[in-house]
Amino acid sequence: MKESISHSISQHSMALSSIAILCLLFFTHHQLAESTQPPYACGSESSTYPFCNPKLGISERAKDLVSRLTLDEKIAQLVNTAPSIPRLGIPSYQWWSEALHGVADAGIGITFNGIIKSATSFPQVILTAASFDPNLWYQISKAIGREARAVYNAGEAKGMTFWAPNINIFRDPRWGRGQETPGEDPLVTAEYAVTYVRGLQGDSIKGGTLGERLQASACCKHFTAYDLDQWKGLDRFLFDARVTSQDLADTYQPPFQNCIQKGRASGIMCAYNRVNGVPNCADFNLLTKTARKQWNFDGYITSDCEAVTIIHEKQGYAKTAEDAIADVFRAGMDVECGNYTLKHAKSAVLEKKLPIYQIDRALENLFSIRIRLGLFDGNPAKLTYGTIGPNEVCSKQHRQLALEAARDGIVLLKNTASLLPLPKTKPSISLAVIGPNANASSKVVLGNYYGRPCKLVTLLEGFKNYAKDTIYHPGCSDGPQCDFAEIEQAVEVAKKVDYVVLVMGLDQSQERESHDREYLELPGRQEELINSVAKASKKPVILVLLCGGPVDITSAKFDSKIGAILWAGYPGELGGLALAQIIFGDHNPGGRLPITWYPKDFIKVPMTDMRMRADPASGYPGRTYRFYTGPKVYEFGYGLSYSKYSYKFLSVTQNNLHINQSSTHLTVKNSEAIRYKHVSELGNETCQSMSVSVTIGVENQGNMVGKHPILLFIRQGKQRNGNPVKQLVRFQSVKLDAGEKGRVAFELRPCEHLSVANEAGLMVIEEGSYLLLVGDQEYPINVTV
Ligand SMILES: *[C@@H]1O[C@H](CO)[C@@H](O)[C@H](O)[C@H]1NC(C)=O
Ligand SMILES: *[C@@H]1O[C@H](CO)[C@@H](O)[C@H](O)[C@H]1NC(C)=O
Ligand SMILES: *[C@@H]1O[C@H](CO)[C@@H](O)[C@H](O)[C@H]1NC(C)=O
Ligand SMILES: *[C@@H]1O[C@H](CO)[C@@H](O)[C@H](O)[C@H]1NC(C)=O
């Protein structure tokens, strides 16, 4: 009981006490229901129902099932904890499970209470994103999907619907949940979303092979413009995000559109917050017009937990509880996480606020998912995914993948005079590992929404592999807060050894769900600890930062007593091994930052200001590398390696693009008349026909093999109002031996990669000169319309 409580406290908005009650209810309910609960639907007695007939279409089966339910049975199915319907042989179902970076018991659908006690715990998403390697991302989510099925097959899952990935843009460095996301760039986030969904659901990496069957169901969350948890007393439940059409079009929505259209995700979660006054879960334009009609979404939509309750009780958007229920189902939501619907749907129906056909529509979406998961085809052990066994959980391959993800994500930020890698001599060097995160517990290294790891290697154990007598001192023992006497002790330790690694940063007490930061500096007296130890050490020290969001470490960046800096996110169950392998040169670091690291003054910008674009007139600096114009500590895409890489544009198939279809429009920006085309007017065929192939040569000039992400940006020749400073358009990771030359070919499609959002939220291609950028290389192309 205690275990499951501690695993749930950081999740969603539920109070600890209600979870304890929930666990109790669950437990007793489960035991009482054992005799009447069918083990699976469509076993021998019930298998004559049309909804059990695998030869019929999914929606026909779902419709048949829904048509057999009474109103009370229907209403009971509209919440995350859906009860069994014994008279039809239908077992209960739990919609809420989590698998952000590994199958987790953070939701309530997964229990780990049988032969499977844990699952592979991959690095927190922000670190995995830093590899810029979609192939790796896909392998990870495929592993998660297989482990999820194994857990289900072992009888330890009450559902197969996972509420991941979190694909909100990491808009503000203070966001407590930024760690869960792939960072600040909409293209990276979109690609991460697509690969995650494909891997988890059982599609191929390129997509297109997913039929109706689902290995597991993924959920694009939180739809939309959700990226503030609790900042200076304002919480996500009350926050009304004021978002422009322009920012929606090219920042907030693209990850969701891709998650749905390219990824073919079978789930969406609508977010707590309002956007321009309307609660997301009650927004017909968002859920039905945009997702279902425009993007052809055919899955289910869940609310975030208690998001329906707050529409009436906190936001006051709906006058009564019944109005709130009617609003969300009319908007297109299908299932509530929470119980508000259980209490108020009946009266909403009686008051004629909620029509039955809306309930049926929602239920058909819900049962379609359960049917697609293979839960209405009789004994699941006999089905496609029925043979995935417990041996696949925590397998050698999956743990190797967790190690690779940590190694490929860790970013080398500074390495003066090649301090790293440290020598692997015998006898080993004398080493001290100092800092509040130097022997970080599983709660720190896993990040939030974690499951139970297979076998965690602590950072300290990782170092001991290379220097057996590594001395450890926390420097600060009470979380990240430092005590003066401890700093003194740490200094004495540092004086005795050849090398010092300081492991600092944040943890969940600083950044988490329902808790954004107010400052960007290292917390407590960490900076003092760093400076004191660095000053006392024989050699320049190595600084390692564990954190999801960025910290302002300007002083360390310029301090000559700090020779090397590494960012290790929250590196997962094998992070300790990965970090030590990098520091001792058994792996060549290649990760690059997926977020801008801002200086501490950035906090002058209110976190509530959703505008992406800078406004020089009012001193608003804009957000992310695409629009931010102020000074940076480190920029998006920054990352060193033990190798130096050089680039060359080898060929570009066209450098003069002329678009002579459809009408040309004119606009004035910075008192210059600009000609442009609407992408929507060009049509699919024209867009496809205009592609440009770009071939880039890259050389590993170092003496170590390395994996290196190549980032191709585009920039307009002349920076124009409202347009990005630059934009990532393509990326790929290549592995090159020492001294090896390689090449990558990228296809650029002007409608996708050269277009910008205008103020009306429409994508347009502007006439003018553009520059392709890779590293320090530039290549000009010209566009006329
Ligand atoms: C909702 O009701 C179910 C069934 O009565 C109960 O098990 C669960 O704890 C409730 N959920 C919440 C979020 O209160
Ligand atoms: C390091 O952490 C582990 C696990 O949390 C703990 O068992 C161990 O005692 C710690 N080591 C030291 C030297 O404090
Ligand atoms: C553009 O297309 C129109 C009609 O297809 C043609 O008359 C015109 O000459 C073309 N202009 C250019 C610059 O190619
Ligand atoms: C656009 O055209 C391409 C190639 O001609 C085709 O594969 C794709 O399905 C089309 N997309 C749409 C939305 O029509």
Side-chain angles (χ1 to χ4, degrees), residues 408-456:
D408 292 354
I410 291 173
V411 181
L412 180 64
L413 294 169
K414 176 178 178 180
N415 194 18
T416 306
S418 298
L419 174 65
L420 295 181
L422 296 185
K424 280 184 287 182
T425 52
K426 282 213 167 112
S428 61
I429 57 166
S430 66
L431 179 72
V433 185
I434 295 173
N437 280 338
N439 189 35
S441 69
S442 62
K443 290 209 170 84
V444 177
V445 295
L446 301 182
N448 67 354
Y449 282 89
Y450 60 96
R452 298 184 204 177
C454 314
K455 189 177 179 308
L456 185 112

Side-chain angles (χ1 to χ4, degrees), residues 14 18-19 21-23 25-26 29 79-81 96 108 305-306 337-340 342-343:
M14 296 179 123
S18 80
I19 287 177
I21 292 163
L22 187 151
C23 294
L25 281 174
F26 228 93
H29 173 76
V79 293
N80 64 298
T81 304
W96 180 9
I108 48 182
C305 297
E306 315 289 316
C337 180
N339 280 337
Y340 214 52
L342 294 183
K343 295 192 199 101

Side-chain angles (χ1 to χ4, degrees), residues 127 403-415 419-424 462-463 466 501 542 544 564-568 571 574-591 640-642 704:
L127 187 73
L403 175 62
E404 245 175 73
R407 286 199 304 215
D408 292 354
I410 291 173
V411 181
L412 180 64
L413 294 169
K414 176 178 178 180
N415 194 18
L419 174 65
L420 295 181
L422 296 185
K424 280 184 287 182
F463 288 114
Y466 290 90
V501 178
I542 296 131
V544 174
I565 306 178
L566 289 148
W567 172 68
L574 287 160
L577 208 49
L579 184 65
Q581 286 181 352
I582 286 174
I583 287 180
F584 284 90
D586 280 338
H587 184 82
N588 193 355
L640 305 171
S641 165
Y642 298 151
M704 261 181 99

Side-chain angles (χ1 to χ4, degrees), residues 500-519:
V500 174
V501 178
L502 282 159
V503 192
M504 318 297 286
L506 308 176
D507 60 26
Q508 302 297 311
S509 73
Q510 305 293 311
E511 53 173 356
R512 64 171 182 276
E513 183 158 13
S514 294
H515 185 91
D516 302 315
R517 279 184 293 160
E518 287 186 20
Y519 301 97

Side-chain angles (χ1 to χ4, degrees), residues 77-145:
Q77 294 295 316
L78 294 173
V79 293
N80 64 298
T81 304
S84 63
I85 312 169
R87 70 179 183 89
L88 295 172
I90 297 172
S92 60
Y93 187 81
Q94 178 52 252
W95 287 91
W96 180 9
S97 295
E98 301 285 352
L100 181 68
H101 51 107
V103 180
D105 50 355
I108 48 182
I110 302 291
T111 53
F112 291 136
N113 61 353
I115 52 167
I116 299 173
K117 302 259 185 279
S118 58
T120 311
S121 203
F122 296 94
Q124 181 60 295
V125 177
I126 191 76
L127 187 73
T128 295
S131 68
F132 285 85
D133 183 359
N135 182 53
L136 175 71
W137 301 341
Y138 174 80
Q139 298 305 332
I140 290 173
S141 64
K142 189 176 160 192
I144 297 173

